[in-house]
Amino acid sequence: RKEVEQDPGPFNVPEGATVAFNCTYSNSASQSFFWYRQDCRKEPKLLMSVYSSGNEDGRFTAQLNRASQYISLLIRDSKLSDSATYLCVVNKVEDTGRRALTFGSGTRLQVQP
Amino acid sequence: EAQVTQNPRYLITVTGKKLTVTCSQNMNHEYMSWYRQDPGLGLRQIYYSMNVEVTDKGDVPEGYKVSRKEKRNFPLILESPSPNQTSLYFCASSRFSGGSHTDTQYFGPGTRLTVL
């Protein structure tokens, strides 16, 4: 079983739609959680951190359920520019000091006019 | 401008010919990593460095070497490349703050390597 699992998609949605991505992680020692965005053939960039209480940044809302080891990302009012791959990222700091960032394979979103 | 740079961006080489991919950051970050990205597998960490002269293996270190002689540079060395090292490689840096939410990873633009 992968440490971080995501539905690969693609999710094809019309402009203005609301779309939700889910992610599950297997390591209960995980400490921090993030969503990164990756455009085709480009580097990942931080979209937002995910806090236990849930957090919102404009049209984006992230939720974390530690008990179920589940993370979600909701995008409201989708724009064409939201088309990208969204990576679920889970972090823990090991005893050695290593930042063990584990990346999901990503969920591809295609917003259509 | 705060950034991570990598060179070359694209490289086609042959099996066994040693190569180095350079990585440099201008943010005075302590922590640097190398990842490879393959379809369906996500990004996997190859090596990381917590500071100058401190490096250690990540999840997939076989066939790779690194060095950290200066804080800003973290080159990735393939002594004898093989076709299974064909991949998209990313260098990343961050402040080392113990995994807090402010500890964002900044990625370089990527190096697409093909080993024939």
Side-chain angles (χ1 to χ4, degrees):
Chain A
R1 184 188 169 195
K2 289 182 182 176
E3 284 193 56
V4 178
E5 297 221 45
Q6 294 183 250
D7 181 340
F11 283 56
N12 295 304
V13 303
E15 270 187 291
T18 295
V19 61
F21 304 139
N22 302 320
C23 166
T24 56
Y25 62 95
S26 60
N27 192 330
S28 59
S30 301
Q31 299 170 344
S32 309
F33 309 89
F34 309 88
W35 283 101
Y36 276 71
R37 171 193 167 127
Q38 185 174 25
D39 293 297
C40 188
R41 297 177 181 271
K42 297 211 169 165
E43 72 272 26
K45 292 184 179 177
L46 179 67
L47 178 67
M48 59 196 301
S49 299
V50 186
Y51 300 100
S52 296
S53 54
N55 49 298
E56 191 174 301
D57 183 1
R59 297 181 293 108
F60 299 84
T61 300
Q63 297 276 357
L64 167 65
N65 183 324
R66 282 189 187 268
S68 302
Q69 295 180 198
Y70 170 97
I71 305 159
S72 66
L73 176 68
L74 184 77
I75 305 175
R76 290 182 299 280
D77 188 23
S78 301
K79 312 289 185 194
L80 294 175
S81 57
D82 293 334
S83 297
T85 297
Y86 291 84
L87 307 175
C88 177
V89 183
V90 172
N91 179 40
K92 66 181 177 76
V93 180
E94 297 176 344
D95 293 340
T96 58
R98 175 189 172 195
R99 277 178 102 255
L101 268 184
T102 304
F103 289 79
S105 302
T107 298
R108 194 157 67 88
L109 171 66
Q110 184 67 48
V111 181
Q112 294 161 340
Chain B
E1 180 192 353
Q3 61 181 349
V4 180
T5 56
Q6 290 178 231
N7 281 292
R9 296 289 314 281
Y10 303 91
L11 179 61
I12 300 174
T13 189
V14 295
T15 298
K17 186 176 180 183
K18 181 179 178 180
L19 66 93
T20 298
V21 184
T22 63
C23 172
S24 184
Q25 51 93 5
N26 62 1
M27 294 169 278
N28 202 36
H29 285 163
E30 286 86 18
Y31 197 98
M32 297 185 75
S33 298
W34 275 102
Y35 295 89
R36 61 178 288 175
Q37 186 174 33
D38 302 289
L41 295 177
L43 281 97
R44 294 177 292 167
Q45 191 182 56
I46 302 170
Y47 266 94
Y48 67 98
S49 169
M50 288 197 286
N51 215 322
V52 175
E53 302 293 1
V54 181
T55 64
D56 209 343
K57 296 176 181 178
D59 297 313
V60 288
E62 292 77 22
Y64 304 95
K65 285 173 57 176
V66 293
S67 69
R68 187 94 181 271
K69 294 186 171 59
E70 305 164 284
K71 198 172 188 179
R72 62 184 294 125
N73 296 324
F74 190 44
L76 179 70
I77 303 152
L78 285 72
E79 294 271 3
S80 182
S82 62
N84 65 11
Q85 292 178 297
T86 293
S87 188
L88 178 59
Y89 290 87
F90 289 104
C91 180
S93 76
S94 62
R95 291 185 305 116
F96 183 60
S97 59
S100 76
H101 284 285
T102 60
D103 197 4
T104 302
Q105 290 259 299
Y106 294 86
F107 286 85
T111 296
R112 188 164 290 278
L113 172 66
T114 301
V115 183
L116 301 174

